[in-house]
Amino acid sequence: MIIRDINIDKGSWLSEVMEEIPTNTILNKVMTGCGATTLEINAARHSIIIEPNLPVIIGKKAQHDFLFAVYEGTTREDVKAYLAGEEDGYRKIITTPEGFDKKVLPAMYELSIPVYEEYFLLFDECEKPIQDVGYRGDIYLPVEDFFKFKGKAMVSATPIIPSDPRFRGTRF
């Protein structure tokens, strides 16, 4: 695992020290609210952002109306309509882990979108699948797909250092 320290002052934004979150990174942001998710929302690339909790999705959607939010009530057909619609920039999808596995990926497969090559996957609060899998089994579903993405990162203020050998060479 590669460890690189980047310091930012309290009250500063991550966007002040980096243009985008690098791939193959577990970003230990230490403090919450420094703009890691917003950095990806504004990155010049197609993105899928996995959030473990609905309030974060609703809050980010309220701040960024161009985000496509996937959670209970959003259908696979809704996802397909968004993806097949007129493209006016980068596609930005924010979803629960369950929505990713049951709606986003199947919609992309049905539309023959090369998701693993064309989209960057950001797994926010990456400690949650480990902590919550006991009572929320589907939260872990996107982890296997995570490794298939060419562009990918995990972020947390309290990450758990992974023991999975597939993380070797990951920046932390």
Side-chain angles (χ1 to χ4, degrees), residues 43-64:
R45 58 188 172 197
H46 298 303
S47 306
I48 300 169
I49 301 165
I50 298 177
E51 292 288 348
N53 300 307
L54 186 56
V56 176
I57 294 172
I58 292 169
K60 293 295 180 186
K61 174 66 178 164
Q63 293 172 354
H64 308 278

Side-chain angles (χ1 to χ4, degrees), residues 112-129:
S112 299
I113 295 171
V115 61
Y116 301 120
E117 291 79 32
E118 292 186 5
Y119 280 76
F120 186 88
L121 180 68
L122 180 65
F123 211 123
D124 199 4
E125 296 188 47
C126 62
E127 76 284 359
K128 288 291 185 187

